[in-house]
Amino acid sequence: MPSVISIALPANALLGKYLAQDGAYTDCYMTTVSGDVSLEQFVNVFFDTWLFRIERKILSATIGKPSTQRDIANLATGTADRLAAWHVEERNTDQLLLAVGTGPIRTWLMRKCDGDKTHLYFGSAILPMARDGQGRARMGFTFRALLGFHKIYARALLRAAAKSLR
């Protein structure tokens, strides 16, 4: 089973711009697979794992945002900038940063080839939507309540993608 670890965001991570935002939550998970995996391959596999297909069905049923394998392929190649509820906020040859609608959620994927292996990164940011009694920015109650589940789910998604690439 692929090992997935929680690490600090790499210095060049597109998601890094949210690290300094007051009250924002960011995370980064990493795993390593053999060979040179392109960002296109990673995106295709990640959004089409058995686990993510469940999330895609839920999004289709609850918010009317269906997605197909063709939609994933178009996002992966850069010929489309949307997939279900996500849209591209920023991308380069090795990274993809997606925003969920106009809301506080960001999803980030990165690949880094290191000789005969590729490090795959997956991270999220949840931007603050509320203020505490002292006026400090913070995540809303729902996001705080689901954070434990999010951490388990994030690792499982990356593990499933890495397993599909083996």
Side-chain angles (χ1 to χ4, degrees), residues 106-162:
R106 302 296 183 272
T107 300
W108 165 77
L109 299 172
M110 183 175 105
R111 53 82 67 192
K112 180 181 177 191
C113 188
D114 185 13
D116 62 346
K117 60 187 174 211
T118 303
H119 304 291
L120 303 174
Y121 301 82
F122 169 51
S124 303
I126 302 171
L127 310 181
M129 298 273 300
R131 299 255 172 218
D132 65 15
Q134 288 76 40
R136 294 179 301 235
R138 64 178 178 87
M139 288 189 305
F141 172 78
T142 303
F143 291 108
R144 288 192 320 257
L146 293 174
L147 197 53
F149 171 77
H150 165 79
K151 291 176 181 182
I152 294 167
Y153 184 59
R155 286 176 187 263
L157 284 171
L158 187 54
R159 187 174 292 113

Side-chain angles (χ1 to χ4, degrees), residues 44-108:
N44 267 307
V45 167
F46 184 88
F47 287 107
D48 199 37
T49 62
W50 70 270
L51 189 54
F52 208 90
R53 282 193 297 266
I54 295 169
E55 184 171 344
R56 288 173 36 212
K57 286 182 188 292
I58 291 169
L59 289 171
S60 179
T62 59
I63 62 172
K65 298 279 187 177
S67 58
T68 65
Q69 287 180 310
R70 179 175 279 328
D71 296 330
I72 295 168
N74 290 339
L75 176 70
T77 61
T79 57
D81 64 357
R82 295 196 166 282
L83 175 69
W86 291 268
H87 67 272
V88 174
E89 183 173 299
E90 196 172 346
R91 88 181 302 148
N92 62 38
T93 57
D94 293 323
Q95 299 183 63
L96 178 63
L97 178 60
L98 301 165
V100 178
T102 58
I105 301 171
R106 302 296 183 272
T107 300
W108 165 77

